[in-house]
Amino acid sequence: MPTTRTYLVSGMTCQSCARKVASTVEQLPGISNLDLDLTTGAITLTSDNPINDADVQHAVENAGYRLAEN
């Protein structure tokens, strides 16, 4: 059963930012869909595997951004 999670990314303010984040997060194993809302900074991931928050955080940081505190 697919898993869906939403994260908020700090500092993602333009299309270039969004592409950087998307390109790193899409590399995570099992990600089958990624939706980005540039207005809110939200990324919603759907995966066939359980989504590991630490892996998502690492991918976002590798793109030069950070996850916002919830």
Side-chain angles (χ1 to χ4, degrees):
M1 171 175 261
T3 301
T4 301
R5 299 284 307 263
T6 300
Y7 301 88
L8 294 178
V9 179
S10 293
M12 188 175 62
T13 59
C14 67
Q15 288 298 327
S16 178
C17 300
R19 282 191 295 275
K20 285 181 190 176
V21 171
S23 68
T24 58
V25 174
E26 287 174 332
Q27 304 286 325
L28 295 173
I31 299 296
S32 57
N33 191 49
L34 182 146
D35 288 315
L36 257 152
D37 183 338
L38 193 53
T39 304
T40 63
I43 56 171
T44 301
L45 307 176
T46 303
S47 177
D48 297 328
N49 302 324
I51 297 173
N52 183 310
D53 294 338
D55 290 345
V56 174
Q57 180 176 355
H58 184 70
V60 168
E61 288 174 355
N62 278 344
Y65 301 89
R66 63 183 174 81
L67 292 182
E69 297 295 321
N70 291 339

